[in-house]
Amino acid sequence: EMGITLHHTTGLPYIPGSALKGIARSYALLTLAATKNVPLEDLERFDAHLVLGHYDNLIDGARMYREVFGLAANTTHGIKDSQAGGVIFHDAVLYDVPQNVDRGELFTLDVMTPHFPKYYRSSGGDAPDDADSPNPVTFLTANAGLVFAFAVGMRAGTSDDVRKQARRWLQEALQELGVGSKTASGYGVFMKPP
């Protein structure tokens, strides 16, 4: 309930591999869709065509998309069987704790201040009112400057080119989209270490 993912054994912040796979896939899908000017409302159908191989000879990276992420059964689009992707996205863990942050502090507190608590509590039933009192809420965050280690593995029979493409998509996704909530506020957006 804290809005931060902490490892159940160490208590340290980490990023689940499933989240990393999800943002890498979203980024790859958006990137490939942009090459064909696919509107956002058609992304699900475009994704199905990618995993079925319909764009393999038309879009650079289409074949890699299927090889990296696999395919999930989808009766709407005629995909009968699921198939695992050739790449494994491992959990991202802290690297070199705690020397890589100022004063060795892993966590810091931040504050969000909803200005219309009655409106939010009523799920929009009460109109926002300037007479409502702001309600500051503190929450725990991972300190800026933490360095995470990312690992992308591959299943037997997968080429190293497929793994390298998955790494590129993941790196670009972390730098452009970020991971987790509040990315619009600057949380979860990564940059390459110097």
Side-chain angles (χ1 to χ4, degrees):
E1 301 282 336
M2 296 187 328
I4 188 171
T5 304
L6 301 176
H7 193 275
H8 63 281
T9 303
T10 65
L12 296 173
Y14 80 106
I15 306 166
S18 57
L20 297 174
K21 180 179 180 180
I23 64 160
R25 184 180 179 123
S26 293
Y27 180 83
L29 180 62
L30 290 168
T31 302
L32 294 171
T35 65
K36 296 297 276 180
N37 296 318
V38 174
L40 291 177
E41 58 270 9
D42 291 338
L43 281 179
E44 184 179 343
R45 188 174 56 80
F46 181 68
D47 177 59
H49 285 288
L50 283 172
V51 299
L52 289 171
H54 296 166
Y55 290 106
D56 283 4
N57 297 321
L58 302 173
I59 303 174
D60 287 340
R63 180 185 54 80
M64 291 279 198
Y65 181 82
R66 182 179 63 257
E67 290 182 31
V68 168
F69 302 109
L71 55 117
N74 183 329
T75 55
T76 304
H77 297 292
I79 304 171
K80 294 179 179 156
D81 297 317
S82 296
Q83 178 183 332
V87 172
I88 301 164
F89 293 84
H90 296 281
D91 295 345
V93 296
L94 284 178
Y95 175 80
D96 199 20
V97 179
Q99 292 84 1
N100 62 347
V101 291
D102 293 336
R103 300 182 316 276
E105 295 175 3
L106 296 176
F107 303 105
T108 189
L109 288 178
D110 202 347
V111 177
M112 65 178 164
T113 309
H115 283 65
F116 307 109
K118 290 179 191 170
Y119 170 74
Y120 292 115
R121 274 191 228 116
S122 70
S123 299
D126 294 332
D129 183 355
D130 285 337
D132 216 356
S133 297
N135 182 23
V137 178
T138 57
F139 60 97
L140 188 66
T141 67
N143 213 342
L146 290 175
V147 177
F148 283 81
F150 296 87
V152 177
M154 58 187 184
R155 298 182 196 282
T158 302
S159 77
D160 197 46
D161 289 341
V162 172
R163 183 185 61 83
K164 287 178 181 176
Q165 180 61 58
R167 283 179 48 194
R168 279 192 293 277
W169 280 329
L170 176 60
Q171 181 179 352
E172 291 169 7
L174 289 167
Q175 292 172 342
E176 293 183 35
L177 300 177
V179 63
S181 63
K182 298 180 76 63
T183 53
S185 299
Y187 290 99
V189 179
F190 285 77
M191 55 190 198
K192 286 174 92 170

